[in-house]
């Protein structure tokens, strides 16, 4: 089970240090990892290297993933960061197609698919976000939106599999109406997502389903269902390390 902390555009070197100090008080991380409960931290790009070093120094077994990367391999793309650079830092993966990137920075389904393909060639685990808006849901178009967003990505995953890639791919269902609003999806909604992915793209696609959108240590326990949810992508709540610790305590009550 993956618990991804998406810090978005928050934190500083100072707050990262106190965050890790707080998490280091807990001595069971290695044991939890051995049981498949993994904390994944996703800091802003400028702090990736710093975070990697701090984790190493404290021997904390967390994965680190970027919040985005460029769809191009290298060259004249001012302000962008490449898959090779993320590899060079020793990162585990990258979040792709977050709704904030789609909505605020014009990322299309085709961009997200191209980035996924590139990530897989570099053995970076893609965590691909998808999800409908409130309007899509009221118009009962939500399942169509999921399929439209995932189809081009899944095609690239199939191609990568055919060329021998075994890098896992996770899909994070993040309904736009649930992000940062305090409203989480219901477990039934997530079951519908899992069912749709299985029906449209097969078991392999649905098996790495994560949920994100106003998750915290309390809502988490209502949404854990083995076989449906493989983990969570958490924004605001996981800026507080105490919430991370409480969430792991709760998760472990649902083995
Ligand atoms: P939230 O954000 O937990 O603050 O709703 C989740 C996300 O956007 O990944």
């Amino acid at each position: 089970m993956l618990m991804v902390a998406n810090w978005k555009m928050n934190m500083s070197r100072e707050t990262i240090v106190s965050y890790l100090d707080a998490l280091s008080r807990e001595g069971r991380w290695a044991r939890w990892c051995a049981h498949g409960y993994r904390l994944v931290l996703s800091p802003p790009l400028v702090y990736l290297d710093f975070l990697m070093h701090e984790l190493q120094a404290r021997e904390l077994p967390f994965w680190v993933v970027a919040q985005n990367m460029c769809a191009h391999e290298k060259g004249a793309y001012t302000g962008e960061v490449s898959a090779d650079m993320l590899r060079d830092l020793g990162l585990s993966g990258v979040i792709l197609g977050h709704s904030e990137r789609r909505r605020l920075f014009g990322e299309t389904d085709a961009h997200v698919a191209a980035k996924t393909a590139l990530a897989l060639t570099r053995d970076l685990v893609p965590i691909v976000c998808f999800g409908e808006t409130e309007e899509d849901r009221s118009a009962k178009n939500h399942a169509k939106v999921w399929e439209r967003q995932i189809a081009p990505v899944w095609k690239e995953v199939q191609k990568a599999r055919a060329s021998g890639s075994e890098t896992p791919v996770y899909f994070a269902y993040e309904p736009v109406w649930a992000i940062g609003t305090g409203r989480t999806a219901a477990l039934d909604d997530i079951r519908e997502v899992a069912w749709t992915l299985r029906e449209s793209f097969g078991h392999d696609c649905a098996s790495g389903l994560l949920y994100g959108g106003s998750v915290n240590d309390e809502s988490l326990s209502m949404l854990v269902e083995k076989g449906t949810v493989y983990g969570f992508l958490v924004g605001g709540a996981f800026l507080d390390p105490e919430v991370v610790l409480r969430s792991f305590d709760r998760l472990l009550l649902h083995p």
Side-chain angles (χ1 to χ4, degrees):
M1 177 155 261
L2 293 187
M3 299 297 293
V4 187
N6 177 9
W7 289 349
K8 306 193 181 184
M9 199 171 70
N10 294 294
M11 305 290 267
S12 63
R13 281 193 287 194
E14 193 183 339
T15 56
I16 290 173
V17 167
S18 49
Y19 192 98
L20 297 182
D21 283 346
L23 294 185
S24 303
R25 284 203 322 265
E26 169 55 67
R28 290 170 294 176
W29 290 113
R31 191 143 32 106
W32 288 343
C33 279
H35 284 90
Y37 293 90
R38 170 88 57 179
L39 179 62
V40 182
L41 299 176
S42 190
L45 286 169
V46 287
Y47 296 130
L48 284 168
D49 205 21
F50 177 72
L51 177 62
M52 295 291 286
H53 280 102
E54 289 293 312
L55 291 177
Q56 226 166 22
R58 293 154 196 268
E59 297 183 5
L60 287 168
F62 307 150
W63 283 348
V64 178
V65 300
Q67 295 174 15
N68 184 30
M69 65 171 217
C70 186
H72 300 281
E73 288 191 28
K74 63 175 180 175
Y77 299 100
T78 302
E80 291 290 308
V81 170
S82 75
D84 283 332
M85 293 168 189
L86 302 184
R87 265 315 308 164
D88 194 24
L89 292 187
L91 257 60
S92 305
V94 57
I95 297 174
L96 297 174
H98 190 281
S99 69
E100 286 150 17
R101 300 235 35 103
R102 294 176 190 260
R103 197 163 42 87
L104 304 171
F105 301 100
E107 279 197 20
T108 63
D109 297 335
H111 288 134
V112 180
K115 291 179 181 195
T116 305
L118 182 55
L120 289 174
T121 65
R122 301 306 195 269
D123 201 21
L124 287 165
V125 173
I127 300 173
V128 181
C129 303
F130 69 101
E132 79 285 0
T133 61
E134 182 102 65
E135 296 73 50
D136 297 325
R137 184 158 275 271
S138 332
K140 301 207 184 319
N141 267 341
H142 47 285
K144 281 205 188 78
V145 171
W146 307 336
E147 286 171 358
R148 191 203 73 220
Q149 291 177 332
I150 289 181
V153 175
W154 194 242
K155 206 163 137 192
E156 295 301 336
V157 175
Q158 299 296 95
K159 278 198 236 163
R161 295 275 181 265
S163 348
S165 165
E166 290 178 5
T167 308
V169 178
Y170 298 101
F171 286 97
Y173 171 52
E174 295 216 311
V176 177
W177 48 267
I179 296 176
T181 59
R183 284 168 64 197
T184 55
L187 182 55
D188 268 347
D189 299 328
I190 305 174
R191 287 187 185 129
E192 185 189 355
V193 177
W195 183 86
T196 307
L197 297 198
R198 257 195 309 273
E199 288 296 300
S200 305
F201 306 106
H203 183 77
D204 189 20
C205 180
S207 64
L209 181 64
L210 312 182
Y211 169 74
S214 296
V215 173
N216 57 32
D217 52 317
E218 286 174 8
S219 55
L220 189 101
S221 358
M222 328 275 282
L223 300 172
V224 181
E225 184 173 71
K226 279 266 158 69
T228 304
V229 184
Y230 188 76
F232 296 92
L233 183 46
V234 189
F238 272 13
L239 289 173
D240 179 352
E242 302 304 329
V243 177
V244 176
L245 291 168
R246 285 205 298 274
S247 299
F248 270 81
D249 275 340
R250 290 205 175 207
L251 267 184
L252 297 165
L253 295 175
H254 289 264

